[in-house]
Amino acid sequence: MVRVLFLGGLGRSGTTLLERLLGQLAGVSPLGEVVHLWQRDLVDDERCGCGDRFSACGFWQKVGVEAFGGWDAVDPRRVHELAAAVERTRHIPRLALGRKPKGLDEYAGYYSKVYSAAAAVTGATAVVDSSKHSALAYCLRHAPGIDLRVVHVVRDSRGVAYSWTKKVMRPEAETDEEMTRYSPSRSALLWNAHNASFGLLGRLGVPVLRIRYEELLADPVATLRNLATFADLPEAAHEMSFLRATDDGYVADLGPSHSAAGNPMRFTIGTVPLRRDEAWRRSLPKGQRRLVGALTAPLLSAYGYRFGGTT
């Protein structure tokens, strides 16, 4: 059984940062957003977090050989067909009831092979998939050979909404391509749907640990040690020398990673200050703040957020 830490939630909630921090722990191998590997890496040959093209990255080529006998044996079109058939939010009720759509076992099997191969290549106790998609987590619940543990990452919905309005380039594509943007109302509805789905997953017997973005930045040492215990990582994983407290909070020393896809932060190497992004308080128009707050009020309250913005 390969232990998989699946980082779930809506994008712009801090999952890439959490994955980078987890990647500094002994026994952990971060893989990035594996859900995008089939298109962005196998087809588009975009850059790995280490800086190399996917086809030139020694780590991912070893994983391909271990998992499939080489990436040439994988037909990305088939994976896309299966994803369209089974990995959809509308299928979550069926998956929650244990009714598996046709093709689910085959689709989940691709991920299981990637995870197992990555663990074998690195000798890791656990691999991290920061794909975030709730529907994928429900699919992986049925995957063979996976010890699935979900880390549900939440952030104040108003901060998430503001982040989705910002223009962010995708440097790995080496074009003028931007990351997707959503309106505040659209992101609020997605925030509700994704977070509620992970809450339900926990009631179906899948181990789920909720982490708030704001708490991670306030005390990363305690948060990561809690995660290490949740993941049954070796004792060495509780050593946090890469984190340093300063007068202004914490800083983290990040090494290179082999993240297959995700936020541009996956390319960052060196000392990174861990600071809460509170720009939404002054930059998200008051009307939009109130709208997002109203649309997400029940879950905001359940997660310990106040409508005034404090936690």
Side-chain angles (χ1 to χ4, degrees):
M1 297 283 285
V2 58
R3 195 169 306 155
V4 178
L5 284 180
F6 185 92
L7 306 189
L10 183 61
R12 311 297 176 89
S13 296
T15 51
T16 302
L17 171 62
L18 179 57
E19 182 190 34
R20 294 303 314 278
L21 296 175
L22 285 169
Q24 310 309 307
L25 302 183
V28 177
S29 178
L31 305 180
E33 298 177 7
V34 181
V35 70
H36 295 303
L37 179 149
W38 320 105
Q39 178 63 44
R40 296 181 184 176
D41 297 304
L42 290 186
V43 176
D44 299 337
D45 198 24
E46 292 185 352
R47 287 193 293 140
C48 168
C50 69
D52 290 336
R53 292 282 189 180
F54 181 81
S55 60
C57 174
F59 167 77
W60 281 109
Q61 295 315 300
K62 289 177 183 177
V63 169
V65 171
E66 179 74 21
F68 307 103
W71 291 112
D72 289 343
V74 178
D75 182 359
R77 291 173 300 179
R78 177 57 180 166
V79 181
H80 293 152
E81 289 172 1
L82 291 168
V86 305
E87 193 217 314
R88 288 292 181 266
T89 302
R90 66 176 180 268
H91 293 316
I92 286 178
R94 292 179 59 195
L95 293 167
L97 294 172
R99 300 171 184 170
K100 300 192 295 184
K102 183 179 179 180
L104 175 61
D105 289 339
E106 181 184 355
Y107 181 64
Y110 281 100
Y111 288 85
S112 182
K113 289 178 181 178
V114 169
Y115 300 147
S116 297
V121 168
T122 62
T125 300
V127 298
V128 180
D129 182 350
S130 59
S131 291
K132 295 186 287 294
H133 294 191
S134 52
L136 177 56
Y138 277 81
C139 291
L140 294 178
R141 175 172 170 246
H142 301 281
I146 286 182
D147 174 7
L148 179 65
R149 307 191 187 193
V150 173
V151 181
H152 178 200
V153 185
V154 297
R155 180 185 177 189
D156 190 306
S157 57
R158 293 153 294 189
V160 173
Y162 174 64
S163 184
W164 276 112
T165 66
K166 295 191 293 185
K167 180 185 293 187
V168 179
M169 306 304 295
R170 295 188 61 243
E172 63 270 42
E174 298 183 356
T175 64
D176 292 332
E177 184 178 350
E178 298 178 12
M179 296 183 72
T180 302
R181 287 193 280 175
Y182 294 129
S183 69
S185 58
R186 174 65 172 164
S187 69
L189 296 176
L190 291 171
W191 189 91
N192 281 333
H194 281 277
N195 288 318
S197 295
F198 282 106
L200 174 60
L201 188 64
R203 293 195 289 272
L204 296 175
V206 176
V208 176
L209 177 66
R210 183 177 298 130
I211 297 294
R212 293 200 309 181
Y213 162 83
E214 294 82 4
E215 292 173 340
L216 170 65
L217 294 181
D219 194 345
V221 173
T223 302
L224 291 175
R225 284 182 174 156
N226 189 25
L227 275 168
T229 299
F230 173 71
D232 289 328
L233 296 179
E235 186 63 30
H238 291 260
E239 196 279 315
M240 307 279 173
S241 60
F242 66 93
L243 291 171
R244 292 178 285 114
T246 70
D247 292 339
D248 297 323
Y250 283 86
V251 297
D253 296 319
L254 302 179
S257 74
H258 290 290
S259 175
N263 188 286
M265 188 194 178
R266 65 196 180 96
F267 296 108
T268 301
I269 298 175
T271 301
V272 176
L274 304 183
R275 304 284 186 272
R276 287 171 58 162
D277 183 357
E278 298 288 287
W280 65 270
R281 296 181 185 277
R282 58 182 179 277
S283 299
L284 186 64
K286 183 179 295 185
Q288 293 181 354
R289 290 203 306 272
R290 289 175 175 170
L291 173 64
V292 173
L295 291 173
T296 60
L299 284 181
L300 271 179
S301 178
Y303 298 152
Y305 294 101
R306 298 176 182 175
F307 297 139
T310 57
T311 58

